[in-house]
Amino acid sequence: YVYSINADGHMVMNVAAGSGSGLVVYPQYDDVMGYHVPDAALAVKAGTVTQNTTAAGDGFFEAWFQDFDIVDGTKVTCNMGGAREVIVRDVTATCDPGTNRVEGTCPASAPVRVTMDPYGSPVIYETTSNSSGTFSVELGDDYTATGTDVYNVTWYDSDGDAVVYEFQTFSWYLAEGYTGGD
Protein backbone atom coordinates (compact mmCIF):
# COMPACT_ATOMS: atom_id res chain seq x y z
CA TYR A 1 0.00 0.00 0.00
CA VAL A 2 1.02 3.56 -0.62
CA TYR A 3 -0.58 6.25 1.53
CA SER A 4 -0.50 9.97 0.90
CA ILE A 5 -2.30 13.04 2.26
CA ASN A 6 -3.57 15.64 -0.18
CA ALA A 7 -3.66 19.40 0.46
CA ASP A 8 -7.11 19.13 2.11
CA GLY A 9 -5.82 16.49 4.55
CA HIS A 10 -7.63 13.58 2.92
CA MET A 11 -5.84 10.25 2.96
CA VAL A 12 -5.54 8.42 -0.33
CA MET A 13 -4.73 4.75 -0.50
CA ASN A 14 -3.33 3.22 -3.66
CA VAL A 15 -3.31 -0.55 -3.78
CA ALA A 16 -0.40 -2.07 -5.66
CA ALA A 17 -1.18 -4.70 -8.29
CA GLY A 18 -1.63 -8.18 -6.84
CA SER A 19 -2.54 -6.99 -3.37
CA GLY A 20 -5.61 -5.64 -1.71
CA SER A 21 -7.20 -4.83 1.60
CA GLY A 22 -8.35 -8.39 2.09
CA LEU A 23 -8.02 -10.85 4.92
CA VAL A 24 -5.20 -13.38 5.00
CA VAL A 25 -5.95 -16.43 7.18
CA TYR A 26 -3.28 -18.88 8.35
CA PRO A 27 -5.38 -21.73 9.82
CA GLN A 28 -2.36 -23.76 10.96
CA TYR A 29 -1.34 -20.88 13.23
CA ASP A 30 -4.87 -19.63 14.09
CA ASP A 31 -3.77 -16.25 12.75
CA VAL A 32 -5.50 -13.58 10.65
CA MET A 33 -3.72 -10.60 9.18
CA GLY A 34 -3.95 -7.97 6.49
CA TYR A 35 -3.56 -4.29 5.70
CA HIS A 36 -6.01 -1.48 6.28
CA VAL A 37 -5.95 2.23 7.11
CA PRO A 38 -3.08 2.95 9.53
CA ASP A 39 -4.08 3.19 13.22
CA ALA A 40 -7.65 1.92 12.53
CA ALA A 41 -9.29 -0.15 15.29
CA LEU A 42 -10.53 -3.48 13.92
CA ALA A 43 -12.59 -6.38 15.25
CA VAL A 44 -11.61 -9.67 13.57
CA LYS A 45 -14.02 -12.55 14.09
CA ALA A 46 -13.25 -16.24 13.56
CA GLY A 47 -16.27 -18.43 14.17
CA THR A 48 -17.77 -17.15 17.43
CA VAL A 49 -14.59 -15.53 18.81
CA THR A 50 -13.62 -11.89 18.27
CA GLN A 51 -10.12 -10.43 18.56
CA ASN A 52 -9.79 -6.65 18.70
CA THR A 53 -6.68 -5.21 17.10
CA THR A 54 -5.35 -1.94 15.71
CA ALA A 55 -3.64 -1.50 12.37
CA ALA A 56 -0.07 -0.33 12.79
CA GLY A 57 1.32 2.88 11.35
CA ASP A 58 1.98 1.11 8.05
CA GLY A 59 -1.55 -0.37 8.01
CA PHE A 60 -0.55 -3.95 8.93
CA PHE A 61 -2.75 -5.75 11.44
CA GLU A 62 -2.72 -9.18 13.03
CA ALA A 63 -5.23 -11.08 15.16
CA TRP A 64 -3.94 -14.26 16.75
CA PHE A 65 -6.65 -16.61 18.01
CA GLN A 66 -4.59 -18.42 20.63
CA ASP A 67 -7.64 -20.01 22.31
CA PHE A 68 -9.63 -20.85 19.16
CA ASP A 69 -8.84 -23.32 16.38
CA ILE A 70 -9.43 -21.92 12.89
CA VAL A 71 -10.42 -25.06 10.97
CA ASP A 72 -12.10 -26.04 7.71
CA GLY A 73 -15.49 -24.31 7.52
CA THR A 74 -14.64 -21.44 9.91
CA LYS A 75 -16.00 -18.08 8.74
CA VAL A 76 -13.52 -15.24 9.29
CA THR A 77 -14.80 -11.65 9.06
CA CYS A 78 -13.60 -8.10 9.60
CA ASN A 79 -15.14 -4.72 8.82
CA MET A 80 -12.42 -2.95 6.86
CA GLY A 81 -14.35 -0.02 5.42
CA GLY A 82 -16.80 -2.69 4.29
CA ALA A 83 -17.39 -6.24 5.42
CA ARG A 84 -14.67 -8.73 4.45
CA GLU A 85 -15.34 -12.44 4.83
CA VAL A 86 -13.67 -15.70 3.91
CA ILE A 87 -14.73 -19.24 4.76
CA VAL A 88 -11.68 -21.40 5.43
CA ARG A 89 -11.29 -24.50 3.28
CA ASP A 90 -8.50 -27.01 3.73
CA VAL A 91 -5.64 -27.47 1.28
CA THR A 92 -3.59 -30.58 0.59
CA ALA A 93 -0.30 -30.46 -1.27
CA THR A 94 2.79 -32.50 -2.04
CA CYS A 95 6.08 -31.40 -3.52
CA ASP A 96 7.80 -34.21 -5.40
CA PRO A 97 11.54 -33.66 -5.95
CA GLY A 98 11.53 -36.48 -8.52
CA THR A 99 9.14 -34.65 -10.84
CA ASN A 100 9.89 -31.10 -9.55
CA ARG A 101 6.16 -30.50 -9.21
CA VAL A 102 3.69 -29.37 -6.54
CA GLU A 103 0.23 -30.92 -6.69
CA GLY A 104 -2.75 -30.65 -4.40
CA THR A 105 -6.37 -29.81 -3.73
CA CYS A 106 -8.18 -26.67 -2.62
CA PRO A 107 -11.58 -25.09 -3.39
CA ALA A 108 -12.74 -25.57 -6.98
CA SER A 109 -11.83 -23.00 -9.63
CA ALA A 110 -9.85 -20.86 -7.17
CA PRO A 111 -6.77 -18.76 -7.94
CA VAL A 112 -3.78 -20.52 -6.32
CA ARG A 113 -0.33 -19.21 -5.46
CA VAL A 114 2.49 -21.61 -4.60
CA THR A 115 5.46 -19.94 -2.90
CA MET A 116 8.58 -22.06 -2.69
CA ASP A 117 11.13 -21.08 0.00
CA PRO A 118 8.91 -18.33 1.51
CA TYR A 119 11.45 -17.52 4.26
CA GLY A 120 14.54 -17.43 2.07
CA SER A 121 14.48 -16.47 -1.59
CA PRO A 122 10.81 -16.91 -2.52
CA VAL A 123 9.86 -18.21 -5.94
CA ILE A 124 6.16 -17.70 -6.75
CA TYR A 125 3.95 -19.69 -9.14
CA GLU A 126 0.34 -18.84 -9.92
CA THR A 127 -2.35 -21.10 -11.33
CA THR A 128 -6.06 -21.88 -10.90
CA SER A 129 -7.52 -25.07 -9.47
CA ASN A 130 -9.79 -27.00 -11.79
CA SER A 131 -13.52 -27.62 -11.32
CA SER A 132 -12.81 -30.47 -8.90
CA GLY A 133 -10.31 -28.41 -6.88
CA THR A 134 -7.05 -30.00 -8.00
CA PHE A 135 -4.01 -28.02 -9.09
CA SER A 136 -0.52 -28.78 -10.34
CA VAL A 137 2.53 -26.52 -10.72
CA GLU A 138 5.66 -27.46 -12.65
CA LEU A 139 8.56 -25.79 -10.85
CA GLY A 140 10.72 -25.78 -13.99
CA ASP A 141 14.10 -24.06 -14.01
CA ASP A 142 13.09 -21.36 -11.50
CA TYR A 143 13.20 -23.70 -8.49
CA THR A 144 14.59 -27.19 -7.94
CA ALA A 145 12.89 -29.17 -5.17
CA THR A 146 15.39 -30.85 -2.85
CA GLY A 147 13.18 -32.90 -0.56
CA THR A 148 13.65 -30.55 2.40
CA ASP A 149 11.56 -27.67 1.06
CA VAL A 150 9.23 -25.35 2.94
CA TYR A 151 6.48 -23.92 0.75
CA ASN A 152 3.14 -22.15 1.06
CA VAL A 153 -0.03 -22.79 -0.90
CA THR A 154 -2.51 -19.90 -0.93
CA TRP A 155 -5.99 -19.89 -2.44
CA TYR A 156 -8.08 -16.78 -2.99
CA ASP A 157 -11.84 -16.31 -2.85
CA SER A 158 -13.72 -14.13 -5.34
CA ASP A 159 -13.14 -11.02 -3.18
CA GLY A 160 -9.37 -11.50 -2.95
CA ASP A 161 -9.35 -12.80 0.63
CA ALA A 162 -6.77 -15.56 1.09
CA VAL A 163 -6.20 -18.76 3.04
CA VAL A 164 -2.55 -19.82 3.38
CA TYR A 165 -1.20 -23.23 4.35
CA GLU A 166 2.45 -24.03 4.96
CA PHE A 167 3.91 -27.38 3.92
CA GLN A 168 7.24 -29.08 4.37
CA THR A 169 8.73 -31.71 2.08
CA PHE A 170 11.02 -34.14 3.76
CA SER A 171 12.39 -36.95 1.64
CA TRP A 172 14.86 -39.48 2.86
CA TYR A 173 16.92 -41.44 0.41
CA LEU A 174 17.95 -44.83 1.73
CA ALA A 175 20.85 -46.93 0.55
CA GLU A 176 20.01 -49.71 -1.89
CA GLY A 177 19.10 -52.86 0.00
CA TYR A 178 18.11 -51.03 3.23
CA THR A 179 15.39 -52.99 5.07
CA GLY A 180 15.06 -51.05 8.30
CA GLY A 181 17.04 -53.54 10.35
CA ASP A 182 20.15 -52.89 12.42
Side-chain angles (χ1 to χ4, degrees):
Y1 297 102
V2 178
Y3 291 91
S4 63
I5 307 265
N6 68 12
D8 296 324
H10 299 288
M11 185 176 292
V12 178
M13 179 175 72
N14 294 322
V15 179
S19 66
S21 60
L23 296 172
V24 180
V25 181
Y26 290 82
Q28 290 164 302
Y29 305 111
D30 301 319
D31 206 5
V32 178
M33 54 187 69
Y35 283 89
H36 190 52
V37 176
D39 303 316
L42 299 166
V44 181
K45 186 174 181 180
T48 59
V49 178
T50 300
Q51 290 290 339
N52 294 312
T53 189
T54 301
D58 63 358
F60 176 78
F61 69 88
E62 180 177 22
W64 179 38
F65 290 81
Q66 61 189 24
D67 296 322
F68 180 79
D69 260 349
I70 299 175
V71 296
D72 185 60
T74 301
K75 181 168 41 170
V76 177
T77 61
C78 184
N79 188 343
M80 301 163 59
R84 299 300 302 211
E85 170 184 304
V86 63
I87 297 176
V88 173
R89 295 291 177 228
D90 282 342
V91 171
T92 64
T94 58
C95 177
D96 183 348
T99 61
N100 209 37
R101 178 182 312 137
V102 174
E103 297 177 317
T105 62
C106 66
S109 305
V112 176
R113 177 179 285 176
V114 175
T115 305
M116 302 303 297
D117 193 17
Y119 306 112
S121 300
V123 179
I124 297 171
Y125 301 86
E126 293 182 336
T127 190
T128 301
S129 63
N130 67 20
S131 61
S132 64
T134 62
F135 66 89
S136 179
V137 172
E138 300 288 334
L139 302 178
D141 294 333
D142 293 329
Y143 189 88
T144 301
T146 64
T148 59
D149 309 278
V150 174
Y151 61 100
N152 290 344
V153 175
T154 306
W155 65 266
Y156 296 85
D157 70 8
S158 61
D159 295 325
D161 298 309
V163 176
V164 182
Y165 282 88
E166 183 173 285
F167 294 93
Q168 297 177 355
T169 302
F170 296 106
S171 297
W172 292 273
Y173 298 95
L174 304 175
E176 184 175 340
Y178 179 79
T179 63
D182 291 327

